[in-house]
CSV table of all heavy atoms in Angstrom, one decimal:
chain,number,residue,atom,x,y,z
B,12,LEU,N,-16.6,132.8,109.2
B,12,LEU,CA,-17.8,133.6,109.3
B,12,LEU,C,-18.9,132.9,110.1
B,12,LEU,O,-19.5,133.5,111.0
B,12,LEU,CB,-18.3,133.9,107.9
B,12,LEU,CG,-19.1,135.3,107.7
B,12,LEU,CD1,-18.3,136.4,108.2
B,12,LEU,CD2,-19.4,135.5,106.3
B,13,ARG,N,-19.1,131.6,109.8
B,13,ARG,CA,-20.1,130.8,110.5
B,13,ARG,C,-19.8,130.8,112.0
B,13,ARG,O,-20.7,130.9,112.8
B,13,ARG,CB,-20.1,129.4,109.9
B,13,ARG,CG,-21.1,128.5,110.6
B,13,ARG,CD,-22.5,128.8,110.2
B,13,ARG,NE,-23.5,128.1,111.0
B,13,ARG,CZ,-24.0,126.9,110.7
B,13,ARG,NH1,-23.7,126.3,109.6
B,13,ARG,NH2,-24.9,126.3,111.5
B,14,THR,N,-18.5,130.6,112.3
B,14,THR,CA,-18.1,130.5,113.7
B,14,THR,C,-18.5,131.8,114.5
B,14,THR,O,-19.1,131.8,115.5
B,14,THR,CB,-16.6,130.2,113.9
B,14,THR,OG1,-16.3,129.1,113.0
B,14,THR,CG2,-16.2,130.0,115.3
B,15,TYR,N,-18.1,132.9,113.8
B,15,TYR,CA,-18.3,134.3,114.4
B,15,TYR,C,-19.8,134.5,114.5
B,15,TYR,O,-20.3,135.1,115.5
B,15,TYR,CB,-17.6,135.4,113.6
B,15,TYR,CG,-16.2,135.6,114.1
B,15,TYR,CD1,-15.2,134.7,113.6
B,15,TYR,CD2,-15.8,136.6,114.9
B,15,TYR,CE1,-13.9,134.9,114.0
B,15,TYR,CE2,-14.5,136.8,115.3
B,15,TYR,CZ,-13.5,135.9,114.9
B,15,TYR,OH,-12.2,136.1,115.3
B,16,ARG,N,-20.6,134.2,113.5
B,16,ARG,CA,-22.0,134.4,113.5
B,16,ARG,C,-22.7,133.6,114.6
B,16,ARG,O,-23.5,134.1,115.3
B,16,ARG,CB,-22.6,134.0,112.1
B,16,ARG,CG,-24.0,134.4,112.0
B,16,ARG,CD,-24.5,134.2,110.5
B,16,ARG,NE,-24.4,132.8,110.0
B,16,ARG,CZ,-25.2,131.9,110.3
B,16,ARG,NH1,-26.2,132.1,111.1
B,16,ARG,NH2,-25.0,130.6,109.8
B,17,ASP,N,-22.3,132.3,114.7
B,17,ASP,CA,-22.9,131.5,115.8
B,17,ASP,C,-22.5,132.1,117.2
B,17,ASP,O,-23.4,132.1,118.1
B,17,ASP,CB,-22.3,130.1,115.7
B,17,ASP,CG,-23.0,129.3,114.5
B,17,ASP,OD1,-24.0,129.8,114.0
B,17,ASP,OD2,-22.4,128.2,114.2
B,18,ARG,N,-21.3,132.5,117.3
B,18,ARG,CA,-20.8,133.1,118.6
B,18,ARG,C,-21.7,134.3,119.0
B,18,ARG,O,-22.0,134.5,120.2
B,18,ARG,CB,-19.4,133.5,118.5
B,18,ARG,CG,-18.6,133.6,119.8
B,18,ARG,CD,-17.2,133.9,119.5
B,18,ARG,NE,-16.4,132.8,118.9
B,18,ARG,CZ,-15.2,132.9,118.3
B,18,ARG,NH1,-14.6,134.1,118.3
B,18,ARG,NH2,-14.6,131.9,117.8
B,19,HIS,N,-22.1,135.1,118.0
B,19,HIS,CA,-23.0,136.2,118.3
B,19,HIS,C,-24.5,135.9,118.2
B,19,HIS,O,-25.3,136.8,118.3
B,19,HIS,CB,-22.6,137.4,117.3
B,19,HIS,CG,-21.3,138.1,117.5
B,19,HIS,ND1,-20.1,137.5,117.3
B,19,HIS,CD2,-21.1,139.3,118.1
B,19,HIS,CE1,-19.2,138.3,117.6
B,19,HIS,NE2,-19.7,139.4,118.1
B,20,ASP,N,-24.8,134.6,118.0
B,20,ASP,CA,-26.1,134.2,118.0
B,20,ASP,C,-27.0,135.0,117.0
B,20,ASP,O,-28.1,135.4,117.3
B,20,ASP,CB,-26.8,134.3,119.4
B,20,ASP,CG,-28.0,133.5,119.5
B,20,ASP,OD1,-28.2,132.5,118.7
B,20,ASP,OD2,-28.9,133.8,120.4
B,21,LEU,N,-26.5,135.0,115.8
B,21,LEU,CA,-27.2,135.8,114.7
B,21,LEU,C,-27.6,134.8,113.6
B,21,LEU,O,-26.9,133.9,113.3
B,21,LEU,CB,-26.2,136.8,114.1
B,21,LEU,CG,-25.8,138.0,114.9
B,21,LEU,CD1,-24.7,138.7,114.2
B,21,LEU,CD2,-27.0,139.0,115.1
B,22,SER,N,-28.7,135.1,113.0
B,22,SER,CA,-29.1,134.4,111.8
B,22,SER,C,-28.3,135.0,110.6
B,22,SER,O,-27.8,136.1,110.7
B,22,SER,CB,-30.6,134.5,111.5
B,22,SER,OG,-30.9,135.8,111.2
B,23,GLN,N,-28.4,134.2,109.5
B,23,GLN,CA,-27.7,134.8,108.2
B,23,GLN,C,-28.4,136.1,107.8
B,23,GLN,O,-27.8,137.0,107.4
B,23,GLN,CB,-27.8,133.7,107.1
B,23,GLN,CG,-26.9,132.6,107.3
B,23,GLN,CD,-26.9,131.6,106.1
B,23,GLN,OE1,-27.9,131.6,105.3
B,23,GLN,NE2,-25.9,130.8,106.0
B,24,GLY,N,-29.7,136.1,108.0
B,24,GLY,CA,-30.5,137.3,107.6
B,24,GLY,C,-30.1,138.5,108.5
B,24,GLY,O,-30.0,139.6,108.0
Side-chain angles (χ1 to χ4, degrees):
Chain B
L12 210 53
R13 176 76 192 265
T14 308
Y15 273 79
R16 185 171 62 77
D17 286 345
R18 202 177 291 165
H19 286 73
D20 197 24
L21 290 167
S22 68
Q23 287 186 340

